[in-house]
Amino acid sequence: MPADTVSVTGWGRTAPTAARLVRPRSYEEAAAAVRECGARGGIARGLGRAYGDAAQNAGGAVLDMTGLDRIHAIDADGGTVLCDAGVSLHRLMEVLLPLGWFVPVTPGTRYVTVGGAIGADIHGKNHHGSGSFARHVLSFELLTADGEIRTVGSGTPLFDATAGGMGLTGVILKATVRLQPVETSLMSVDTERAADLDDLMARLTATDHRYRYSVAWIDLLARGTSMGRSVLTRGDHAPLDSLPPRARRHPLAFRPSQFPAAPAFVPEGLLGRSTVGLFNELWYRKAPRARAGELQRISTFFHPLDGVPHWNRIYGRGGFVQYQFVVGHGQEEALRRIVERISGHRCPSFLAVLKRFGEGDPGWLSFPMPGWTLALDIPAGLPGLSAFLDEVDEEVAGAGGRVYLAKDSRLRPELLGDMYPRLAEFRALRAELDPRGVFTSDLSRRLNLQELS
């Protein structure tokens, strides 16, 4: 099987490393690629939307799984789909929406694969009610280090180690996923402003149960009495009878918006404090104080950035850090302190969102836990960023929280055990299942995910 040596990065475009990129086109070729990984091992990769180094493997093999992209079966009555791990959520939407079904969980991009969705145990705007992606997976087939293909059902230790396990238990080949029924491809959306962080948290706490989807854009440059001012966006799939007559002609049409791609070269420093501050001011001011029942396309509500191909280029060649953490209910003061830290440090982030998580998920390394999660992007070249985020990590860990491994690119390994209490179980299962360390990545080496102690 041909392989090219290429430079690989995450979506944040930081810390590139060279690896042999292998593109299997069948399960047999995937098994052969695993057998031939060599001393530096291998890791599966989907569409490369993990922000950090989870799908990189310096000096080893990276298995591009996007060639395994067959949809095997759709149960249009029972609401399940059986598909290869390389199938994207975008492709599932194209096929399933006309049949009246939607993916159960989607992150801020539909350009992730089913295998990646399980490996990162992705979450979306509906976690407070629906949990993460793996909660809706009935079973998957996993190619393990010994070359065996195992059918793994939910509720088993191997399932829970793989869901959120960042590809380190094996290569997911295909999966059966339970779907969400919908009547239309439009969303009914309510939008309102929150004056500050306390106002935002009060609104989310009081009313999240009324909505299937909920998220808030937050201005992390605002300070003083406006600290944490936000635009809160919530909604649900629009029922057929809410559509105007013209839209009812094709109620399940999927027509994502598309804009020109971001240029290949963007000047460094374009997204500095002044420009992001201006953007944030305009974004907050243009939002309605309160608007109910607006009809939006699915792509507009869930994936606005997907309309701009290669949008990650806007940070320049230095790339950016995507930082996401969660702290539990009862740790609201810790969240306030962290937001105040970020605001005081003047982190120029225009892609910052706050959500409430619901019940935790069974994956041993799954990120969500009941509480508050904040995600923000920061230009990687911001002076003092590394030391600043180290301090935030300490605050998060001290509050019993954790950072999201699918977005991480710089966490110190000594904090990992505090953040993920089932880490020892994960390491023990990995040692039994893959004693030679066939499945490895830059992330696993950096965080010592393969060490037993």
Side-chain angles (χ1 to χ4, degrees):
M1 188 183 339
D4 302 317
T5 298
V6 298
S7 179
V8 182
T9 74
W11 191 245
R13 304 176 75 199
T14 59
T17 55
R20 290 185 298 106
L21 189 65
V22 186
R23 300 178 176 87
R25 292 294 184 267
S26 67
Y27 299 164
E28 293 77 16
E29 288 189 357
V34 168
R35 287 194 301 269
E36 297 165 6
C37 277
R40 293 286 286 180
I43 193 71
R45 181 181 176 93
L47 288 166
R49 293 303 177 104
Y51 286 84
D53 52 4
Q56 298 174 215
N57 184 23
V62 170
L63 280 64
D64 179 345
M65 298 300 293
T66 56
L68 294 172
D69 59 354
R70 180 183 171 193
I71 297 176
H72 294 272
I74 299 170
D75 181 350
D77 296 321
T80 61
V81 61
L82 171 64
C83 64
D84 284 343
V87 174
S88 69
L89 299 192
H90 174 84
R91 178 61 179 153
L92 286 182
M93 291 175 198
E94 285 183 323
V95 172
L96 295 172
L97 270 170
L99 303 177
W101 296 100
F102 189 62
V103 295
V105 171
T106 177
T109 175
R110 60 187 180 273
Y111 293 111
V112 297
T113 62
V114 169
I118 298 170
D121 201 12
I122 61 170
H123 55 271
K125 299 176 182 179
N126 59 341
H127 190 276
H128 60 283
S130 300
S132 63
F133 192 88
R135 191 181 297 184
H136 305 271
V137 176
L138 303 180
S139 65
F140 53 77
E141 292 195 356
L142 185 73
L143 172 63
T144 50
D146 56 8
E148 181 180 348
I149 297 177
R150 309 178 187 221
T151 299
V152 183
S154 62
T156 63
L158 185 51
F159 187 102
D160 292 344
T162 303
M166 307 311 297
L168 298 172
T169 60
V171 179
I172 299 169
L173 297 176
K174 62 182 177 182
T176 300
V177 182
R178 187 172 53 242
L179 304 170
Q180 167 69 38
V182 294
E183 294 183 14
T184 75
S185 61
L186 294 174
M187 305 295 297
S188 177
V189 181
D190 294 353
T191 305
E192 60 190 89
R193 288 191 214 165
D196 55 37
L197 183 62
D198 288 337
D199 182 26
L200 172 62
M201 290 193 292
R203 292 176 189 237
L204 287 168
T205 301
T207 60
D208 253 6
H209 65 280
R210 302 177 190 169
Y211 297 90
R212 184 182 299 274
Y213 304 100
S214 179
V215 68
W217 169 88
I218 182 169
D219 183 358
L220 292 176
L221 284 175
R223 294 187 286 183
T225 58
S226 296
M227 187 188 78
R229 66 179 181 178
S230 309
V231 178
L232 180 53
T233 308
R234 295 176 289 187
D236 205 338
H237 299 279
L240 183 61
D241 59 12
S242 71
L243 268 58
R246 184 173 182 180
R248 293 186 196 183
R249 298 175 191 170
H250 304 285
L252 291 165
F254 181 50
R255 302 188 185 98
S257 301
Q258 193 73 14
F259 300 98
F265 174 76
V266 175
E268 297 297 323
L270 177 65
L271 296 181
R273 292 184 177 107
S274 298
T275 53
V276 172
L278 177 61
F279 171 88
N280 287 2
E281 180 71 26
L282 294 174
W283 190 259
Y284 180 77
R285 295 296 175 190
K286 86 173 187 64
R289 294 185 182 274
R291 180 173 60 200
E294 180 189 12
L295 293 177
Q296 292 184 5
R297 294 180 182 181
I298 274 175
S299 58
T300 301
F301 182 75
F302 289 108
H303 316 118
L305 287 174
D306 282 348
V308 183
H310 306 293
W311 65 262
N312 57 339
R313 294 173 179 169
I314 64 176
Y315 292 87
R317 292 179 179 175
F320 68 103
V321 172
Q322 174 83 189
Y323 185 73
Q324 184 169 7
F325 69 89
V326 58
V327 294
H329 294 303
Q331 294 293 334
E332 286 77 13
E333 282 303 321
L335 177 62
R336 289 186 188 94
R337 288 195 302 270
I338 294 170
V339 171
E340 191 169 12
R341 274 179 178 266
I342 295 169
S343 174
H345 196 73
R346 309 297 289 156
C347 291
S349 176
F350 76 97
L351 294 176
V353 296
L354 182 75
K355 295 182 288 192
R356 288 176 74 244
F357 278 158
E359 181 182 350
D361 299 292
W364 294 349
L365 297 186
S366 289
F367 169 66
M369 57 183 280
W372 303 91
T373 181
L374 176 64
L376 61 150
D377 66 304
I378 315 170
L382 186 70
L385 180 61
S386 179
F388 171 72
L389 290 181
D390 283 348
E391 294 174 0
V392 178
D393 289 340
E394 296 280 357
E395 184 100 30
V396 170
R402 59 183 64 144
V403 300
Y404 191 16
L405 298 184
K407 294 184 176 180
D408 178 58
S409 58
R410 26 78 40 215
L411 179 68
R412 302 196 317 274
E414 58 266 26
L415 291 178
L416 193 64
D418 294 333
M419 294 181 171
Y420 288 90
R422 303 195 72 174
L423 176 62
E425 294 174 74
F426 176 82
R427 285 171 167 166
L429 184 142
R430 259 197 50 85
E432 178 182 350
L433 191 67
D434 183 9
R436 296 183 294 113
V438 171
F439 296 112
T440 187
S441 65
D442 290 356
L443 175 116
S444 71
R445 282 188 285 266
R446 176 170 57 82
L447 294 179
N448 299 327
L449 281 167
Q450 297 166 228
E451 300 297 327
L452 284 173
S453 60

